[in-house]
Amino acid sequence: MLTASVCVALLACLHAQELRGHISVILLGATGDLARKYLWQGLFQLYLDEAGKGHSFRFHGAALTTTEQGQEVIAKVLESLSCPRDTAPARCAELKDQFQQLSEYRRLKTAEDYLALSKDIEAWVQREGLREAGRVFYFSVPPFAYADIARNINSSCRPGPGAWLRVALEKPFGHDHRSAQQLATELGSFFQEDEMYRVDHYLGKQVVAQILPFRDQNREALDGLWSRHHVDRVEIIMKETVDAGVLTTSPCSPCSGRTSFYEEYGVIRDVLQNHLTEILTLVAMELPRNVSSSEAVLQHKLQAFRALRGLQKGSAVLGQYQAYSEQVRRELQKPDGFHSLTPTFAGVLVHIDNLRWEGVPFILMSGKALDERVSYVRILFKNQACCVQSEKHWVPDQSRCLPQQIVFYIGHGELGSPAVLVSRNLFRPSLPSSSWQEVAGRPGLHLFGRPLSDYYAYSPVREQDAYSILISHIFHHRKDSFITTENLLASWVFWTPLLDSLAHEVPRLYPGGAENGRLLDFEFSGNNLAFSQQPLEQLVPGPGSGPTPSDFQVLRAKYRESPLISAWPEELIAKLADDIEATAVQAVRRFGKFHLALSGGSSPIALFQQLATGHYGFPWAHTHLWLADERCVPLWDPESNFQGLQVHLLQHVRVPYYNIHPMPVHLRQRLCAEEDRGAQVYAEEISALVANSSFDLVLLGMGTDGHTASLFPQSPTGLDGEQLVVLTKSPFRPYQRMSLSLPLINRARKVAVLVMGRMKREIAVLVSRVGHEPRKWPISGVLPDSGQLVWYMDYEAFLG
């Protein structure tokens, strides 16, 4: 009995000592962007969650900044910390004050600095009568600094016997397999594998962290569905609207600039190799019997990596938003002729060679400057049902004809918050009621082609930041939320051959945002991906020894750093007409109307005839037609641009008469009299009807003297200033003209320049060489502020 009492007392004493353990958290790079945005808040959340459970904490912010500057930055950061919503203001203020008292800034640069930190921690622990439980070092610094910091920690700042060391490392973890292996070897010489926590913040996102628990809690329903027999495909998507210059959570951003980081890594290394591949393994791995076992989860993830089929060049499609190269030239001071091959968009087709997933396509896709910001994993199931009754009679939770899908909605998008969605015609899922709740109905909201009411939809009861979750997992030694050395190298073994094969591939250019249209849509067949709208990149002769003009396909190139499309006249006009129709359809779908401004002259006549006779799907009823320029003659005069438009187009299509906007060159029986204010009248009409005075498309030509619309070298009017419409003088009869100004033209979402005929060869060569000199060559001033410029030039004008 006495022995038992002694044992109980001893256990209680040991338990008390455990509870009195002291933890030091050292945040390296504490003044950087990532630390200020996320990490200090995550450390504060850790303090809120754990401080009352017996452990004591101190938080050391460290950087290379001087002590005075660092303290000033940290003070502002700590003041901006927030408490959970259900915390009373007075209590929040008290907790923030406690956290601030426990937080300090110090400069860490030399081995002596690290030794001094270690002695300060030991002195604090001894003075407070505590036992040191462990130290956490969070590396929010660029990877090139890892080795020196690791050496200093290992030699001068390790905790004593009986206390643990945990080191959190931020990506990128190498550039390819070789560099990742080298970095891993360096770190392995200072830290044990169990001490390292490689952070992929996507693994801390609530929905991603729920994938394995969801599969575990719904084993009975999913066991028969989670395989090649029932899954049609898996989509793992991360879309962004921002460009590559916007700072993200990468700790490299404040160090060398986001653009320099992106130019080195690109979209595949930045997103697919880590975030999306980690998610893929969570979906595809065999489910361990115990998903709470970190060791079992990591081993099953490694098995999934090893089952990935090798990627080939045809496994990917690449894109780059049009402004990217200019952004790189400007921010990295590259020469004018520099064109980057770094992709800002990628779609990759992945297959898994095992019995469960054989033949199932996994689509990984990510990109910058896309139409929306959203991330999700979508498992789409095969559907061989055929329902006899019409859709209006289908019962949402019973009809087998409805799409069957499970969506792990990571965030943003139209839903706006993380969620797990399961089609009602599949099964009602089980999720922990303490942390997940059903999403309230939102009439009118459609996701993946179906109303929200077609899904069982669940969202977190309390949304949590990914870094707060991961910092908690580091504290609790949850290794399954992090990337081991073995899994990291397995990932790079998979991705490096593809990256090498694509190193010199030219990405498809896209304008950015909603203007991308269907340009980036892709399809898969077998092991290959291809863009749905496949460009024909070179001249390809047809069969036979004597090719004719119609045997050649469209040539795509660059002219004045903008896309150039060149072909024989017939093919060129057909291509331009197709592009105008596609732009019109997209504009009507988005805005309900399409505003098209057309130049006069002889070149567009063939285009007008093509549009009139071969484009039955053109949304004429929603199209507004404007003139880019007009001659100061009566509208019925054969020399009138409007008359040419009327004869060759308007009398053949049904455009509402109030959607036709001729230039008012003939007022009060006078032609282009300044006192009649015709130019101001047209400008006011444009301002009233065209949103932001930005035409959806402006079609221009190029004269042999470099003029465009009715903007001439000899008449500088309209080349700058605030006027939208101007009166100009031509060197040719009729001398008086009215024209859209160059600033108004450059507001357009898209500008197409049509250049045709051998007579244009000389000016085409000259303009290709000049810079921005609109007073000499007005056409050189055409460069949309935020839109797209495309040149359409026939072979005689382009090649002579």
Side-chain angles (χ1 to χ4, degrees), residues 181 213 289-290 343 410 420 489 500 640 706:
Q181 177 70 72
R289 291 186 180 274
N290 179 12
I410 299 168
V420 176
L489 296 179
D500 289 345
S640 164

Side-chain angles (χ1 to χ4, degrees), residues 208-229:
V208 176
Q210 186 60 29
I211 293 175
L212 286 185
F214 177 89
R215 291 181 58 190
D216 183 48
Q217 292 157 20
N218 295 278
R219 279 181 192 257
E220 186 175 345
L222 289 175
D223 272 351
L225 293 174
W226 212 255
S227 72
R228 60 190 171 91
H229 300 296

Side-chain angles (χ1 to χ4, degrees), residues 25-41 43 59-67 69-78 80-81 99 103-108 114 137-142 149 251 254-255:
V25 180
I26 301 94
L27 176 55
L28 300 153
T31 58
D33 185 69
L34 178 67
R36 288 184 282 112
K37 282 184 176 179
Y38 298 103
L39 299 181
W40 278 109
Q41 182 65 46
L43 296 178
F59 301 91
H60 307 267
L64 301 179
T65 310
T66 63
T67 302
Q69 291 175 320
Q71 287 174 341
E72 185 177 338
V73 172
I74 299 304
K76 290 180 180 178
V77 174
L78 298 183
S80 67
L81 297 175
F99 184 74
S103 301
E104 65 154 12
Y105 174 81
R106 65 194 303 147
R107 191 178 190 187
L108 282 183
Y114 284 85
F137 285 85
Y138 200 114
F139 285 43
S140 181
V141 296
I149 295 173
C255 307

Side-chain angles (χ1 to χ4, degrees), residues 301-549:
K301 283 179 70 174
L302 184 59
Q303 291 171 11
F305 272 120
R306 290 170 175 167
L308 295 175
R309 184 185 303 171
L311 295 172
Q312 302 172 348
K313 189 175 181 179
S315 303
V317 289
L318 304 179
Q320 183 192 95
Y321 64 82
Q322 287 173 339
Y324 179 76
S325 282
E326 171 58 30
Q327 191 175 345
V328 173
R329 286 194 294 269
R330 183 177 66 252
E331 298 185 22
L332 302 186
Q333 299 181 339
K334 297 288 187 179
D336 290 343
F338 174 81
H339 290 279
S340 173
L341 296 180
T342 301
T344 62
F345 167 88
V348 177
L349 174 63
V350 177
H351 283 96
I352 300 175
D353 287 332
N354 62 25
L355 197 59
R356 181 182 293 278
W357 296 114
E358 182 184 2
V360 177
F362 284 72
I363 307 296
L364 277 59
M365 187 196 83
S366 183
K368 300 279 189 183
L370 300 181
D371 62 321
E372 62 175 337
R373 182 186 183 191
V374 68
S375 301
Y376 60 83
V377 186
R378 183 183 180 216
I379 297 96
L380 187 65
F381 293 90
K382 297 176 182 178
N383 193 348
Q384 283 135 9
C386 183
C387 296
V388 175
Q389 287 187 294
S390 63
E391 185 175 353
K392 64 184 178 182
H393 297 297
W394 295 355
V395 179
D397 59 351
Q398 295 178 5
S399 175
R400 303 295 293 174
C401 287
L402 286 167
Q404 298 173 328
Q405 49 196 333
I406 295 174
V407 181
F408 296 100
Y409 201 91
I410 299 168
H412 304 291
E414 292 193 43
L415 189 57
S417 60
V420 176
L421 311 172
V422 178
S423 295
R424 288 182 178 269
N425 57 349
L426 273 174
F427 62 90
R428 176 183 281 276
S430 172
L431 285 95
S433 58
S434 60
S435 53
W436 291 80
Q437 62 189 357
E438 288 207 53
V439 175
R442 291 169 60 180
L445 177 61
H446 281 63
L447 295 170
F448 308 101
R450 302 304 306 169
L452 185 60
S453 58
D454 274 10
Y455 300 95
Y456 296 111
Y458 296 84
S459 64
V461 172
R462 179 168 68 95
E463 287 192 37
Q464 293 178 274
D465 171 67
Y467 281 98
S468 296
I469 292 172
L470 291 175
I471 288 171
S472 174
H473 287 184
I474 294 170
F475 175 77
H476 289 288
H477 195 43
R478 285 271 309 273
K479 291 285 288 185
D480 54 307
S481 299
F482 301 90
I483 301 167
T484 65
T485 300
E486 201 170 16
N487 283 338
L488 172 69
L489 296 179
S491 177
W492 277 119
V493 164
F494 175 65
W495 283 104
T496 297
L498 177 69
L499 289 163
D500 289 345
S501 72
L502 297 175
H504 302 291
E505 192 77 5
V506 179
R508 168 174 288 194
L509 292 177
Y510 59 96
E515 300 303 316
N516 297 333
R518 298 187 60 246
L519 192 63
L520 296 179
D521 290 353
F522 54 84
E523 301 169 0
F524 54 87
S525 176
N527 292 325
N528 294 321
L529 277 186
F531 284 117
S532 302
Q533 295 183 349
Q534 188 64 32
L536 304 168
E537 309 234 342
Q538 56 186 348
L539 290 171
V540 183
S545 57
T548 63

